[in-house]
Each structure stands twice: as C-alpha cells, then as structure tokens.
Amino acid sequence: MSWVDGANESGFGTDHLPYGLISTDGGTRRLAVRIGGFALDLAATASAGLVPSVVAHPSLKPLMAAGPAMWSEVRQIVQDLLTDERHQSTVLPLLHDVDAVDVHLPFEVADYVDFYSSEQHATNLGRMFRPDSEPLLPNWKHLPVGYHGRAGTVVVSGTPVHRPSGQRRGQDGPTFGPSERLDIELEMGFVVGVSSEIGSPVALAEAADHIFGFGLVNDWSARDIQAWEYVPLGPFLGKSFATSLAGWVTPLAALDPFRIPQPPQDPEPLPYLRGTDPWGFDIDLEVLLSSRTMREVGLEPVRISATNFGQMYWTPAQQLAHLTVNGASTRTGDLCASGTISGSEPGTYGSFIELTHNGADPLTLPTGETRTFLEDGDEVTLQGRARSAGSFIEMAPVSGQVVG
Amino acid sequence: MSWVDGANESGFGTDHLPYGLISTDGGTRRLAVRIGGFALDLAATASAGLVPSVVAHPSLKPLMAAGPAMWSEVRQIVQDLLTDERHQSTVLPLLHDVDAVDVHLPFEVADYVDFYSSEQHATNLGRMFRPDSEPLLPNWKHLPVGYHGRAGTVVVSGTPVHRPSGQRRGQDGPTFGPSERLDIELEMGFVVGVSSEIGSPVALAEAADHIFGFGLVNDWSARDIQAWEYVPLGPFLGKSFATSLAGWVTPLAALDPFRIPQPPQDPEPLPYLRGTDPWGFDIDLEVLLSSRTMREVGLEPVRISATNFGQMYWTPAQQLAHLTVNGASTRTGDLCASGTISGSEPGTYGSFIELTHNGADPLTLPTGETRTFLEDGDEVTLQGRARSAGSFIEMAPVSGQVVG
C-alpha cells in the first residue's frame, strides 16, 4: 500500500508503476513513474541517490536496454520508496501532479511492426473484403502475419491527428482528397527492451528477457487510401500518417498477475512458435468517442466498444519469436503492436469498419449525430483495465483528436 | 583536377566526393570524403579549422540535417582543398588509403521505405505471379507503390548476409528451414537530409531541398518465405533479415550532370506527382556474382546483369512527394530505395527471379556451376557508373556474401 494520497485503488498503485517522460513548464524532459495522480520524477530521485542513475536520462531507453535484473531492481526500489512512510518526506517533493506535467513519447521508436493477431478481426475483414472465399488466408493460422509501419510517425497520446489526404479509387481512375473513411484500430503494443543481434533469433522461451512492457496503441487507418494502395505490398500511406502510443509504459512485471493461456491453436504451430508459459493477458479494453458537439454540450465520451486482450490468437512472445526467426535483429525501442483487438460480438470490435459493418450500420451518438467513420473534431480514447482480487491496474489511455 | 594521386579518372574525383564513416585500427569513427583511392578524414580536417565543424561528428547525420546551403559550402571547400596544390602539404597527412580503413554505416537509418518503381520489374513479377491477369495492378501507374522495411537490419556493404530460415508453403501446410530461393534486388536508394514535419507534405518541387544523396542498395529477398507470408499485408520476414547499403553516399550535387527526363507517364499522374525538373538519372548499373569455387580457382566475379537507373517510371522526387502527401513526417536518415531496377531485355534484370525466369532458366557460371538462386558462399556486388564527356562517377559498390 502506498502512502501517496489516492494511489491505492487508482489503478496506478505500487503494483503498476508505469514509466513516462515528463516535463514541466517547457523544461528538460525527465523519466518518471506514475503513482496515483502523480508523476515521480526519477531524474530527481536519482540525483538524490535513491535509484540507479540508469533512470536519470531524458529517455526510457537506457533503462529498457539494461535488462530484467535492472528492471526488477528499479521497480523494487521505487515500490519501497512509495510504500515505506519513512521515505515520505524525501520523496513527496519529487512528485508532480500528473495533470500539470507534459507527457512526451518515452523513447524514440526504433522499428515499428504491426501484427494482425486477432482471429476475429482478421475474419471480419476477410468477410468484408473477400466475401466469396474463406475469410482467413491460408497462412494466417501458421504464423503471426505482420508488416513494418512508419516508426517516425508514432506519436504520444494527446497529439492531434491530421486527417490524411491521398488517392482513393474512383470511377475513372483515382481521385485525391482528404480521407473519407478515417478509422481507428484498438491495439496493444509491446516494447523491446533488450536488443538481439542479427543472425540470432529470440527463442519464444526467452521473450521475457527482451520485452520491457506494454502500452495501448491506436493504429489510425484511412480505409479508402489503404484499399487503393495496398496491393501487392501492403498498407503504406493509409497507416503512415500517425500511430498513437500511450504516454506511460506498463512494465511486464505489472502484468504478470493477469497472464492467462492463449486460446487453443489448431493447427498446432511450428516448433519455434510453441511455448509453455502463458502469454495471454486478461485486460479489459474500451473505445471511447466524443464528438465536438458532445463536448460543446458537456456530454461525457461514449463507449462504442468493449473487448478483452486475452483472446488474441497470437501472443507477444510468438510475435517476437516469429519476427526474429529469420535472423532479423531487434533494437531497444522496437514497438510491436498486436493488430486490432476484436471480440466475436458486434459491440466488441476494435475498429469502425467492423463496428459499422463497412459503413452500412452507422453508430448513433447521444447527440443524435451518426458516425460511420471519424469526423473532424472527434476524439477517440482507448483504455484498458486488468482486475485481480481486490485490486486493478489501469493501462494509461491513448487519446487523439482528429483535426481537418 | 585533383592533386591526389590517381584521383582523376578514378570515378572518385572532385566532381564526386561521396561521404562515408571510417575508422582505423578499431579507433573512433570519423566522417570522411572519398577521393580516388583515399579517404579524407573530415574530423581531422575540421580540427585543423579547414571545414565547418558540422562534419566533425561520428555520423553523417548532422551534415545531412544541415541543409543544401551547408551541403554546398562543405562540398566547395573540400573541392578546393583537393584541387589547389597549395593545400597539398596540409591535407596529405589527413588522407588514408581507402583499403586500410573500416567503413561503417554512415548514419543510423530512421525509416526505411522500399518502392517498386521499375515498370519492367513490376511487369515481370506480375506475369510470373498472376499469369492470367494484367501484369500491372490498377494502382501501379497512378502512384509509386511502396512499403516500409526494417530499418534496423540495414547493413553496410561488406557485411555478411545470413541465409534466413522461415516458413515456406508446403504440400501439407508450411515447412520450416533455410530459404531455398534467396535472391537479390538491385536498387538505388536516396537519403533524406532535411526532415519535414507531420502534417506538412513535401511538394515535388521541394525535393532537392530534402534529398541529401544516393547509394546503391541490395534488398536481399527470400522468395519462398515472401511468397507464403505476404498476403494480405506485404513482405515481412522475406525481406527483413538484411538490406545492404553502399558505404559511401554520393551527394545529389554530384549526380546533377546526369539528370535526364523520366520516361513519359501515361496516364498523367495526379497534380501532386507532376513536376518539371528532370529527376531521372543516367547511371549504368551492373550485378556481379562470384561463387566460392570461382574465388578458390582465382576467377574474377562475373557480370550477370547490366541495366540503367534512368528508365525508372517513378522518380525519387515523386516518391518523396507521395510518401509525405498524407502528412507523414520524414526524418534525417530516412532511406528510400527505388525498388528493383530492371530493363526490358533478359540480361538487364535486377533479380535472380527475373534473370532465371522464376528458377526455370539457371545461370551458368565460368566454373560450370549453375545458379537459380543464391548459394552459401556466393558474393554479390552491385556497382554503378555515370558517364559524361571526359569523366565519370563510380557509385560506391555494395557487396555482401551469403553465409549459411
């Protein structure tokens, strides 16, 4: 139990302790840990000699690279500082009201990979795009399908998202203009902490030695741009304009209590994709939407989807093993997103294209407005919560507002 | 004309001056300019107060980011140092035999994008993979098709390339093992110097303010892995194991004399892809192959393809305009490769899959060995030469040997 006011039962107690990069009044960026409604300045904590200096950098990268032993050491020290009341007078001045700090991307993303690991999402999209054939392509149950996205346009939660312009299929050749089918994708990303060398695959059983933590990801998607461009080399401009990442990275250790077995895999995957540790995570997820009009009349965001991360067909450990099985190296700061997380029921889909059945069934907002895809001014927030007996962890939300 | 022994007529005269990152005897990395058979240590040159300090970093990035005015200034100063004999006694001690230095990746690649801009290559592959339909997909003549590759596995010329293992399509589901169809792709890459902001497309007419220079790229490809994995999200592990970049980056200014108009475009592209400046480059390209046996018996590498960069359907300026038209930002160090460069005749193809007609027509080497795809021990070298009246520029070659 923490001595920090309101921390226990906030979802940001000492069993959570996500890392972020903060600044105050435009000053230098410092690594921080979130506790309740506060951010503990780790640079200042290190200056006071209370934590190792690996956290005294303006990036999460040195800590991520330092490996599991250091991750544990820092976590235990911070837990102790925030639990033992004897530290209160020393540590209290190092806390900032989290609403009074600016939160930045905690590390420069090295490579960004986006997977496609929800069976329900892949099935839903296959039905829409290839109605006359099997919804899942032949490779889908044999490997975690994925592709590289644009690392340079990963932005931190709260960054406005510019509606992309681009080419869309038209009656007489392509037309050009702002996307008319701007969508979200509800995803969870893992971050590589410890890098691996070229030519040296990371075995599935070693995944926990490399994966530092998790954050919610919104993989904004312009469906009209994507549909015209994506053959034969995959999504490009339909995705590359922005990808939003939560501002606070939840360490893997905080999610250990919520591990569950992944769904059964049939056919059994190849040996390099088999493991015994459970790498599913029981985390409830929600998509919230507010329109400009809703905010003007004082309405709260409305929940348009609720699902769970635990049912993903391919796990983060399988994704990392697959990503490296060809000898590809990884770097500290690689971000691997899960792919859209969708359940099997209509209200559990992680994208508008699924929620509205490709635009055929608009959502109705409390104002009476309807939505097939996103309008300018719309703000989307993804949030997640993992519950255990008597406690819960709140994944830091990822938000973004569409600007025209 | 340079006073450096053998520099004139070497392809690395004062009209070229590509940049690289060198070290000697495992020491610190210093930026350098190649002149003839020598590397001019720019860090030492800057220490002597002869060039601006922007070149005194262990990366090409600060100079790339500094923009066209600084690019010109440094280039003119270096040209003067290497031309005016009064500088000879000062500069001579700053030259290293290029064979005696280690050459490193000159900058950390930010995002890596691979285009697909040779009409002949796209047509050849379309015929092979979709024999019953139009070889070019409907979008191909409307936009430069491209996708993101793995930036973290871009390696400098000379780095051994590990044969990737992975899943291949089998009779009864996928099989796993080393790729049996390991291929090359002959490409030319441009490097972004001056970055651009998110939400601010780079107009085609501004491309020269952003593009720093060019280098040959070998986009190694495992065709069997790629064929099984690539639907629907594009190439991933079939490409991500390694991409080789030449160790010396040719500045755009050195290629200005070789600009030619690109081939006519029909249909006319959308306005954002139209421009008046010529962005084709008349550069002859060759693919050289040597097998382990060839080297053991003292045979020189054999030329297996000869083509020209000038016939690419989409130009670097169009690629950059397209890449950013959706508002995607660029960063200093973004690498954009052209896609495989293939001509229309059999001996002008830039990949084994084309040269051997998907493996049906093996190449015969001087030893009598045959090749459909690459064997362990094979070494591939891509080279390029731009000729003008009385002079030529030799693009720095990119080489790699396959290791099992």
Side-chain angles (χ1 to χ4, degrees):
Chain A
M1 299 292 277
S2 178
W3 50 258
V4 175
D5 256 3
N8 309 311
E9 306 305 314
S10 72
F12 294 99
T14 51
D15 50 352
H16 189 182
L17 300 178
Y19 294 95
L21 192 65
I22 64 164
S23 65
T24 47
D25 304 323
T28 56
R29 297 179 180 196
R30 288 106 67 195
L31 203 58
V33 154
R34 182 149 176 196
I35 176 76
F38 300 91
L40 170 63
D41 181 338
L42 287 177
T45 309
S47 289
L50 300 171
V51 284
S53 60
V54 70
V55 299
H57 299 272
S59 168
L60 185 50
K61 223 167 142 176
L63 177 60
M64 295 197 300
M70 182 59 79
W71 304 343
S72 290
E73 182 182 338
V74 170
R75 184 169 168 82
Q76 281 172 16
I77 291 171
V78 173
Q79 283 177 329
D80 179 56
L81 290 174
L82 295 168
T83 304
D84 189 332
E85 296 197 355
R86 288 173 296 181
H87 297 299
Q88 185 166 356
S89 60
T90 316
V91 172
L92 203 56
L94 311 178
L95 295 179
H96 297 271
D97 184 334
V98 78
D99 295 325
V101 302
D102 289 315
V103 176
H104 309 277
L105 203 61
F107 56 91
E108 190 179 17
V109 176
D111 269 300
Y112 167 49
V113 170
D114 191 24
F115 285 96
Y116 189 58
S117 290
S118 157
E119 180 174 3
Q120 198 58 53
H121 172 71
T123 303
N124 290 340
L125 262 63
R127 283 204 184 109
M128 266 183 259
F129 290 120
R130 297 177 301 274
D132 299 326
S133 55
E134 282 294 313
L136 289 183
L137 288 165
N139 57 17
W140 199 91
K141 289 211 164 180
H142 293 283
L143 55 83
V145 169
Y147 67 102
H148 286 94
R150 191 161 184 80
T153 51
V154 176
V155 297
V156 73
S157 175
T159 306
V161 172
H162 297 264
R163 179 181 297 274
S165 286
Q167 295 194 23
R168 299 84 48 99
R169 188 182 281 110
Q171 295 261 319
D172 308 300
T175 61
F176 183 87
S179 172
E180 294 170 354
R181 292 163 65 87
L182 182 58
D183 201 351
I184 61 155
E185 294 197 336
L186 163 63
E187 307 197 13
M188 183 79 80
F190 73 81
V191 183
V192 172
V194 176
S195 62
S196 57
E197 294 299 310
I198 206 163
S200 298
V202 176
L204 192 143
E206 297 164 0
D209 298 332
H210 293 268
I211 295 176
F212 176 79
F214 286 81
L216 286 163
V217 170
N218 187 343
D219 177 33
W220 306 88
S221 300
R223 301 296 180 193
D224 40 3
I225 296 173
Q226 184 183 352
W228 169 238
E229 73 175 358
Y230 92 106
V231 284
L233 301 182
F236 187 35
L237 300 195
K239 302 273 197 174
S240 66
F241 56 96
T243 305
S244 299
L245 175 64
W248 299 90
V249 178
T250 297
L252 178 57
L255 294 178
D256 276 336
F258 309 104
R259 286 181 185 250
I260 55 173
Q262 71 196 105
Q265 295 195 301
D266 180 22
E268 187 179 33
L270 285 163
Y272 77 93
L273 292 170
R274 294 180 205 157
T276 49
D277 293 338
W279 272 97
F281 294 93
D282 180 14
I283 304 174
D284 289 327
L285 302 170
E286 294 182 325
V287 181
L288 306 182
L289 174 67
S290 85
S291 70
R292 185 181 288 142
T293 304
M294 285 171 66
R295 293 192 299 277
E296 282 169 0
V297 302
L299 286 169
E300 290 295 305
V302 62
R303 187 176 82 178
I304 60 171
S305 180
T307 188
N308 189 285
F309 186 47
Q311 293 312 302
M312 299 298 277
Y313 193 86
W314 297 104
T315 67
Q318 289 177 314
Q319 291 165 347
L320 183 59
H322 182 63
L323 173 64
T324 59
V325 76
N326 68 344
S329 50
T330 58
R331 290 181 290 172
T332 302
D334 281 350
L335 174 65
C336 296
S338 59
T340 310
I341 303 162
S342 289
S344 51
E345 300 302 315
T348 66
Y349 301 153
S351 66
F352 279 83
I353 198 169
E354 293 169 270
L355 288 165
T356 69
H357 301 94
N358 203 12
D361 299 325
L363 303 175
T364 302
L365 307 186
T367 49
E369 299 171 280
T370 59
R371 286 293 181 275
T372 49
F373 292 94
L374 290 165
E375 302 285 337
D376 290 352
D378 284 355
E379 183 169 52
V380 176
T381 300
L382 312 180
Q383 58 188 32
R385 184 176 285 195
R387 296 163 212 272
S388 62
S391 172
F392 68 98
I393 277 180
E394 189 77 30
M395 298 295 293
V398 58
S399 293
Q401 186 177 322
V402 178
V403 298
Chain B
M1 300 291 277
S2 178
W3 52 258
V4 175
D5 256 3
N8 309 309
E9 306 306 314
S10 73
F12 294 100
T14 52
D15 50 352
H16 189 183
L17 301 179
Y19 293 96
L21 192 66
I22 64 164
S23 65
T24 47
D25 303 321
T28 56
R29 297 179 179 195
R30 290 105 66 195
L31 203 59
V33 155
R34 179 147 178 197
I35 176 76
F38 300 90
L40 170 62
D41 180 337
L42 287 177
T45 311
S47 289
L50 300 172
V51 284
S53 61
V54 70
V55 299
H57 299 272
S59 167
L60 186 50
K61 223 167 144 178
L63 177 61
M64 295 198 299
M70 182 59 80
W71 304 342
S72 290
E73 184 183 336
V74 170
R75 183 169 169 81
Q76 281 172 17
I77 291 170
V78 172
Q79 283 177 329
D80 180 56
L81 291 174
L82 295 168
T83 304
D84 190 332
E85 295 197 356
R86 287 173 298 183
H87 296 299
Q88 186 165 354
S89 60
T90 316
V91 173
L92 203 55
L94 311 179
L95 295 179
H96 298 270
D97 184 335
V98 78
D99 293 327
V101 301
D102 290 315
V103 176
H104 309 276
L105 202 62
F107 56 92
E108 190 179 17
V109 177
D111 268 299
Y112 168 49
V113 171
D114 191 24
F115 285 96
Y116 190 57
S117 289
S118 158
E119 180 174 1
Q120 199 58 52
H121 171 73
T123 302
N124 289 342
L125 263 63
R127 283 204 185 109
M128 265 183 259
F129 290 120
R130 297 178 300 276
D132 299 326
S133 55
E134 282 293 313
L136 289 182
L137 289 165
N139 58 17
W140 198 91
K141 289 212 164 181
H142 294 284
L143 54 83
V145 169
Y147 68 101
H148 287 93
R150 191 161 185 80
T153 51
V154 176
V155 297
V156 73
S157 175
T159 306
V161 172
H162 297 264
R163 179 181 298 274
S165 286
Q167 296 194 23
R168 300 84 49 98
R169 187 183 282 108
Q171 295 261 320
D172 308 299
T175 61
F176 182 88
S179 172
E180 293 168 355
R181 292 164 64 88
L182 183 57
D183 201 352
I184 61 153
E185 295 198 336
L186 163 63
E187 307 199 13
M188 182 78 81
F190 74 80
V191 183
V192 172
V194 176
S195 62
S196 58
E197 293 298 311
I198 205 163
S200 298
V202 176
L204 191 144
E206 298 165 358
D209 297 333
H210 294 267
I211 294 176
F212 176 80
F214 287 81
L216 286 164
V217 170
N218 188 344
D219 178 33
W220 306 88
S221 299
R223 301 298 179 192
D224 41 3
I225 296 173
Q226 183 183 352
W228 170 237
E229 73 175 357
Y230 91 106
V231 284
L233 300 182
F236 188 34
L237 299 196
K239 302 273 196 174
S240 66
F241 56 96
T243 305
S244 298
L245 175 64
W248 298 90
V249 178
T250 297
L252 178 57
L255 294 177
D256 276 337
F258 309 103
R259 285 181 186 250
I260 54 174
Q262 73 198 102
Q265 294 195 300
D266 181 22
E268 187 179 36
L270 285 164
Y272 78 93
L273 292 170
R274 293 179 206 158
T276 49
D277 294 337
W279 272 96
F281 294 92
D282 181 13
I283 305 174
D284 289 327
L285 302 171
E286 294 182 324
V287 181
L288 306 183
L289 175 66
S290 85
S291 69
R292 184 181 289 142
T293 304
M294 286 172 65
R295 293 191 300 278
E296 282 169 1
V297 301
L299 287 170
E300 290 295 305
V302 63
R303 187 176 84 177
I304 59 170
S305 179
T307 187
N308 188 285
F309 186 47
Q311 294 311 304
M312 298 298 277
Y313 193 86
W314 297 105
T315 68
Q318 289 177 315
Q319 291 166 347
L320 183 60
H322 183 63
L323 174 64
T324 59
V325 75
N326 68 344
S329 50
T330 58
R331 289 181 291 172
T332 302
D334 281 350
L335 174 65
C336 296
S338 59
T340 310
I341 303 163
S342 289
S344 51
E345 302 302 316
T348 66
Y349 301 152
S351 66
F352 279 83
I353 197 170
E354 293 169 271
L355 288 166
T356 68
H357 301 94
N358 204 13
D361 298 326
L363 303 176
T364 302
L365 306 186
T367 47
E369 298 171 281
T370 59
R371 286 293 181 276
T372 49
F373 292 93
L374 290 165
E375 303 286 336
D376 290 352
D378 285 355
E379 182 168 54
V380 176
T381 299
L382 312 181
Q383 57 189 31
R385 182 176 284 196
R387 296 162 212 270
S388 61
S391 171
F392 68 97
I393 278 180
E394 190 77 31
M395 299 293 294
V398 58
S399 294
Q401 187 177 325
V402 177
V403 297

